[in-house]
Amino acid sequence: MKSPCLSLVFLLSLFLAGPAFSEDPNAVPPIVAKGFEEFQRNGTLAAMNVWMAGSARETDAEQGQAVAKLNGVQGVFGRMVGYEIVRSVPLSPSTRRVYAAVKFEKGVAWISFDCYHTGADWIISRFDFATNANVVLPPSILGGQ
């Protein structure tokens, strides 16, 4: 006969361990998608306001430079029409790097985000953006080693 106490401990351990195993380690933090949605609907400044919200870069001068750079790309490639997640890489339990292709009417650009889970929300602590995939994407994604 099994001990009721042992069964209770087993069930309790499953209950407590469940959340730790339920999150997909390759999931994309929602802040990334929300920024892309704002980019497509309301432009680069709206996207940057989402992506930088809550981070140390929220009031950083680099935000204006990033907006100018994204606007420059739109000037050449046309308006942003969508995006595709290339890969989401867990770096630690609280951090992810997300690589994406940003689709414009006349071309594609590449972006990576370093996302950090503060315990309450996800923030983006750093991102890189370029029209050259070699600048943003690591060789492992580009077919190298």
Side-chain angles (χ1 to χ4, degrees):
M1 177 173 196
K2 291 184 181 177
S3 164
C5 189
L6 187 58
S7 296
L8 181 61
V9 169
F10 177 73
L11 288 173
L12 190 57
S13 67
L14 283 177
F15 175 75
L16 293 174
F21 296 110
S22 64
E23 186 177 341
D24 179 3
N26 299 314
V28 176
I31 191 170
V32 173
K34 185 176 178 189
F36 278 125
E37 291 162 10
E38 283 297 314
F39 192 171
Q40 197 164 6
R41 278 195 309 258
N42 300 310
T44 54
L45 182 58
M48 206 57 59
N49 285 337
V50 169
W51 287 330
M52 297 296 106
S55 77
R57 296 250 153 122
E58 190 169 28
T59 57
D60 194 319
E62 284 188 35
Q63 184 173 348
Q65 295 168 356
V67 168
K69 187 175 179 180
L70 287 170
N71 284 338
V73 170
Q74 281 192 297
V76 174
F77 286 169
R79 70 179 180 82
M80 188 263 210
V81 296
Y83 71 97
E84 299 168 346
I85 299 298
V86 175
R87 187 172 296 163
S88 178
V89 181
L91 302 175
S92 76
S94 62
T95 60
R96 298 234 166 70
R97 179 164 292 164
V98 177
Y99 298 99
V102 186
K103 301 176 351 179
F104 297 91
E105 292 171 313
K106 299 177 185 176
V108 65
W110 307 94
I111 193 166
S112 70
F113 300 95
D114 283 355
C115 304
Y116 169 62
H117 196 268
T118 64
D121 289 314
W122 284 96
I123 61 171
I124 294 174
S125 58
R126 184 214 54 85
F127 76 96
D128 286 327
F129 180 82
T131 55
N132 181 345
N134 295 324
V135 172
V136 175
L137 303 179
S140 61
I141 291 177
L142 295 169
Q145 295 194 356

PDB file of all heavy atoms in Angstrom, residues 88-106:
ATOM      1  N   SER A  88      15.050  32.178 -32.021  1.00  0.00           N
ATOM      2  CA  SER A  88      15.088  32.688 -30.653  1.00  0.00           C
ATOM      3  C   SER A  88      16.004  31.764 -29.868  1.00  0.00           C
ATOM      4  O   SER A  88      15.768  30.555 -29.829  1.00  0.00           O
ATOM      5  CB  SER A  88      13.682  32.701 -30.052  1.00  0.00           C
ATOM      6  OG  SER A  88      13.718  33.148 -28.720  1.00  0.00           O
ATOM      7  N   VAL A  89      17.041  32.336 -29.290  1.00  0.00           N
ATOM      8  CA  VAL A  89      18.068  31.542 -28.624  1.00  0.00           C
ATOM      9  C   VAL A  89      18.083  31.863 -27.130  1.00  0.00           C
ATOM     10  O   VAL A  89      18.345  33.001 -26.747  1.00  0.00           O
ATOM     11  CB  VAL A  89      19.463  31.847 -29.217  1.00  0.00           C
ATOM     12  CG1 VAL A  89      20.533  31.010 -28.540  1.00  0.00           C
ATOM     13  CG2 VAL A  89      19.469  31.653 -30.715  1.00  0.00           C
ATOM     14  N   PRO A  90      17.790  30.866 -26.276  1.00  0.00           N
ATOM     15  CA  PRO A  90      17.911  31.123 -24.841  1.00  0.00           C
ATOM     16  C   PRO A  90      19.393  31.243 -24.472  1.00  0.00           C
ATOM     17  O   PRO A  90      20.192  30.380 -24.805  1.00  0.00           O
ATOM     18  CB  PRO A  90      17.270  29.900 -24.191  1.00  0.00           C
ATOM     19  CG  PRO A  90      17.176  28.859 -25.250  1.00  0.00           C
ATOM     20  CD  PRO A  90      17.325  29.522 -26.575  1.00  0.00           C
ATOM     21  N   LEU A  91      19.752  32.338 -23.823  1.00  0.00           N
ATOM     22  CA  LEU A  91      21.131  32.544 -23.385  1.00  0.00           C
ATOM     23  C   LEU A  91      21.299  32.166 -21.923  1.00  0.00           C
ATOM     24  O   LEU A  91      22.380  31.773 -21.503  1.00  0.00           O
ATOM     25  CB  LEU A  91      21.544  34.004 -23.604  1.00  0.00           C
ATOM     26  CG  LEU A  91      21.431  34.505 -25.051  1.00  0.00           C
ATOM     27  CD1 LEU A  91      21.743  35.990 -25.119  1.00  0.00           C
ATOM     28  CD2 LEU A  91      22.353  33.712 -25.963  1.00  0.00           C
ATOM     29  N   SER A  92      20.233  32.320 -21.162  1.00  0.00           N
ATOM     30  CA  SER A  92      20.174  31.943 -19.757  1.00  0.00           C
ATOM     31  C   SER A  92      18.690  31.830 -19.416  1.00  0.00           C
ATOM     32  O   SER A  92      17.847  32.138 -20.260  1.00  0.00           O
ATOM     33  CB  SER A  92      20.866  32.993 -18.881  1.00  0.00           C
ATOM     34  OG  SER A  92      20.052  34.141 -18.737  1.00  0.00           O
ATOM     35  N   PRO A  93      18.342  31.421 -18.206  1.00  0.00           N
ATOM     36  CA  PRO A  93      16.916  31.332 -17.869  1.00  0.00           C
ATOM     37  C   PRO A  93      16.167  32.662 -18.007  1.00  0.00           C
ATOM     38  O   PRO A  93      14.979  32.674 -18.279  1.00  0.00           O
ATOM     39  CB  PRO A  93      16.917  30.847 -16.417  1.00  0.00           C
ATOM     40  CG  PRO A  93      18.192  30.066 -16.294  1.00  0.00           C
ATOM     41  CD  PRO A  93      19.186  30.827 -17.155  1.00  0.00           C
ATOM     42  N   SER A  94      16.865  33.788 -17.867  1.00  0.00           N
ATOM     43  CA  SER A  94      16.177  35.082 -17.928  1.00  0.00           C
ATOM     44  C   SER A  94      16.505  35.905 -19.173  1.00  0.00           C
ATOM     45  O   SER A  94      16.055  37.030 -19.297  1.00  0.00           O
ATOM     46  CB  SER A  94      16.515  35.913 -16.686  1.00  0.00           C
ATOM     47  OG  SER A  94      17.906  36.172 -16.654  1.00  0.00           O
ATOM     48  N   THR A  95      17.282  35.357 -20.101  1.00  0.00           N
ATOM     49  CA  THR A  95      17.657  36.129 -21.293  1.00  0.00           C
ATOM     50  C   THR A  95      17.477  35.321 -22.569  1.00  0.00           C
ATOM     51  O   THR A  95      17.636  34.097 -22.571  1.00  0.00           O
ATOM     52  CB  THR A  95      19.114  36.621 -21.223  1.00  0.00           C
ATOM     53  OG1 THR A  95      19.981  35.482 -21.130  1.00  0.00           O
ATOM     54  CG2 THR A  95      19.339  37.550 -20.048  1.00  0.00           C
ATOM     55  N   ARG A  96      17.156  36.030 -23.641  1.00  0.00           N
ATOM     56  CA  ARG A  96      17.019  35.426 -24.976  1.00  0.00           C
ATOM     57  C   ARG A  96      17.595  36.382 -26.007  1.00  0.00           C
ATOM     58  O   ARG A  96      17.466  37.596 -25.864  1.00  0.00           O
ATOM     59  CB  ARG A  96      15.554  35.217 -25.347  1.00  0.00           C
ATOM     60  CG  ARG A  96      14.820  34.299 -24.462  1.00  0.00           C
ATOM     61  CD  ARG A  96      14.150  33.182 -25.258  1.00  0.00           C
ATOM     62  NE  ARG A  96      13.736  32.144 -24.353  1.00  0.00           N
ATOM     63  CZ  ARG A  96      12.757  32.235 -23.478  1.00  0.00           C
ATOM     64  NH1 ARG A  96      12.051  33.326 -23.387  1.00  0.00           N
ATOM     65  NH2 ARG A  96      12.463  31.240 -22.689  1.00  0.00           N
ATOM     66  N   ARG A  97      18.158  35.865 -27.046  1.00  0.00           N
ATOM     67  CA  ARG A  97      18.506  36.664 -28.221  1.00  0.00           C
ATOM     68  C   ARG A  97      17.562  36.221 -29.332  1.00  0.00           C
ATOM     69  O   ARG A  97      17.432  35.036 -29.629  1.00  0.00           O
ATOM     70  CB  ARG A  97      19.943  36.462 -28.646  1.00  0.00           C
ATOM     71  CG  ARG A  97      20.265  37.295 -29.897  1.00  0.00           C
ATOM     72  CD  ARG A  97      21.716  37.452 -30.171  1.00  0.00           C
ATOM     73  NE  ARG A  97      22.309  38.284 -29.132  1.00  0.00           N
ATOM     74  CZ  ARG A  97      23.624  38.342 -28.933  1.00  0.00           C
ATOM     75  NH1 ARG A  97      24.448  37.636 -29.657  1.00  0.00           N
ATOM     76  NH2 ARG A  97      24.112  39.131 -27.983  1.00  0.00           N
ATOM     77  N   VAL A  98      16.914  37.207 -29.934  1.00  0.00           N
ATOM     78  CA  VAL A  98      15.947  36.950 -31.001  1.00  0.00           C
ATOM     79  C   VAL A  98      16.478  37.565 -32.286  1.00  0.00           C
ATOM     80  O   VAL A  98      16.822  38.752 -32.315  1.00  0.00           O
ATOM     81  CB  VAL A  98      14.565  37.548 -30.654  1.00  0.00           C
ATOM     82  CG1 VAL A  98      13.584  37.330 -31.803  1.00  0.00           C
ATOM     83  CG2 VAL A  98      14.031  36.943 -29.364  1.00  0.00           C
ATOM     84  N   TYR A  99      16.543  36.750 -33.343  1.00  0.00           N
ATOM     85  CA  TYR A  99      16.954  37.209 -34.665  1.00  0.00           C
ATOM     86  C   TYR A  99      15.723  37.262 -35.551  1.00  0.00           C
ATOM     87  O   TYR A  99      14.905  36.333 -35.537  1.00  0.00           O
ATOM     88  CB  TYR A  99      17.962  36.234 -35.285  1.00  0.00           C
ATOM     89  CG  TYR A  99      19.247  36.096 -34.503  1.00  0.00           C
ATOM     90  CD1 TYR A  99      19.448  35.033 -33.634  1.00  0.00           C
ATOM     91  CD2 TYR A  99      20.266  37.037 -34.644  1.00  0.00           C
ATOM     92  CE1 TYR A  99      20.630  34.905 -32.918  1.00  0.00           C
ATOM     93  CE2 TYR A  99      21.453  36.904 -33.928  1.00  0.00           C
ATOM     94  CZ  TYR A  99      21.626  35.835 -33.074  1.00  0.00           C
ATOM     95  OH  TYR A  99      22.790  35.710 -32.372  1.00  0.00           O
ATOM     96  N   ALA A 100      15.602  38.332 -36.351  1.00  0.00           N
ATOM     97  CA  ALA A 100      14.438  38.462 -37.216  1.00  0.00           C
ATOM     98  C   ALA A 100      14.821  39.098 -38.544  1.00  0.00           C
ATOM     99  O   ALA A 100      15.783  39.870 -38.640  1.00  0.00           O
ATOM    100  CB  ALA A 100      13.358  39.308 -36.535  1.00  0.00           C
ATOM    101  N   ALA A 101      14.034  38.772 -39.561  1.00  0.00           N
ATOM    102  CA  ALA A 101      14.097  39.433 -40.859  1.00  0.00           C
ATOM    103  C   ALA A 101      12.978  40.457 -40.879  1.00  0.00           C
ATOM    104  O   ALA A 101      11.832  40.135 -40.565  1.00  0.00           O
ATOM    105  CB  ALA A 101      13.901  38.414 -41.978  1.00  0.00           C
ATOM    106  N   VAL A 102      13.319  41.693 -41.228  1.00  0.00           N
ATOM    107  CA  VAL A 102      12.328  42.759 -41.330  1.00  0.00           C
ATOM    108  C   VAL A 102      12.046  42.947 -42.816  1.00  0.00           C
ATOM    109  O   VAL A 102      12.942  43.289 -43.586  1.00  0.00           O
ATOM    110  CB  VAL A 102      12.835  44.072 -40.704  1.00  0.00           C
ATOM    111  CG1 VAL A 102      11.722  45.111 -40.689  1.00  0.00           C
ATOM    112  CG2 VAL A 102      13.371  43.837 -39.300  1.00  0.00           C
ATOM    113  N   LYS A 103      10.808  42.708 -43.199  1.00  0.00           N
ATOM    114  CA  LYS A 103      10.429  42.736 -44.613  1.00  0.00           C
ATOM    115  C   LYS A 103       9.911  44.122 -45.002  1.00  0.00           C
ATOM    116  O   LYS A 103       9.035  44.668 -44.347  1.00  0.00           O
ATOM    117  CB  LYS A 103       9.369  41.671 -44.893  1.00  0.00           C
ATOM    118  CG  LYS A 103       9.865  40.285 -44.556  1.00  0.00           C
ATOM    119  CD  LYS A 103       8.905  39.134 -44.702  1.00  0.00           C
ATOM    120  CE  LYS A 103       7.493  39.401 -44.970  1.00  0.00           C
ATOM    121  NZ  LYS A 103       6.674  38.184 -45.114  1.00  0.00           N
ATOM    122  N   PHE A 104      10.498  44.660 -46.052  1.00  0.00           N
ATOM    123  CA  PHE A 104      10.081  45.929 -46.624  1.00  0.00           C
ATOM    124  C   PHE A 104       9.588  45.673 -48.043  1.00  0.00           C
ATOM    125  O   PHE A 104       9.770  44.579 -48.575  1.00  0.00           O
ATOM    126  CB  PHE A 104      11.249  46.924 -46.638  1.00  0.00           C
ATOM    127  CG  PHE A 104      11.755  47.290 -45.267  1.00  0.00           C
ATOM    128  CD1 PHE A 104      12.784  46.578 -44.668  1.00  0.00           C
ATOM    129  CD2 PHE A 104      11.199  48.357 -44.575  1.00  0.00           C
ATOM    130  CE1 PHE A 104      13.254  46.910 -43.410  1.00  0.00           C
ATOM    131  CE2 PHE A 104      11.656  48.696 -43.303  1.00  0.00           C
ATOM    132  CZ  PHE A 104      12.683  47.977 -42.726  1.00  0.00           C
ATOM    133  N   GLU A 105       8.984  46.668 -48.663  1.00  0.00           N
ATOM    134  CA  GLU A 105       8.455  46.487 -50.020  1.00  0.00           C
ATOM    135  C   GLU A 105       9.534  46.088 -51.021  1.00  0.00           C
ATOM    136  O   GLU A 105       9.270  45.299 -51.937  1.00  0.00           O
ATOM    137  CB  GLU A 105       7.791  47.792 -50.492  1.00  0.00           C
ATOM    138  CG  GLU A 105       6.541  48.140 -49.737  1.00  0.00           C
ATOM    139  CD  GLU A 105       6.035  49.530 -50.065  1.00  0.00           C
ATOM    140  OE1 GLU A 105       6.846  50.491 -50.078  1.00  0.00           O
ATOM    141  OE2 GLU A 105       4.822  49.647 -50.306  1.00  0.00           O
ATOM    142  N   LYS A 106      10.762  46.601 -50.863  1.00  0.00           N
ATOM    143  CA  LYS A 106      11.806  46.377 -51.866  1.00  0.00           C
ATOM    144  C   LYS A 106      13.051  45.693 -51.326  1.00  0.00           C
ATOM    145  O   LYS A 106      14.109  45.751 -51.943  1.00  0.00           O
ATOM    146  CB  LYS A 106      12.211  47.713 -52.485  1.00  0.00           C
ATOM    147  CG  LYS A 106      11.081  48.413 -53.202  1.00  0.00           C
ATOM    148  CD  LYS A 106      11.540  49.758 -53.712  1.00  0.00           C
ATOM    149  CE  LYS A 106      10.378  50.520 -54.325  1.00  0.00           C
ATOM    150  NZ  LYS A 106      10.785  51.876 -54.734  1.00  0.00           N
TER     151      LYS A 106
END
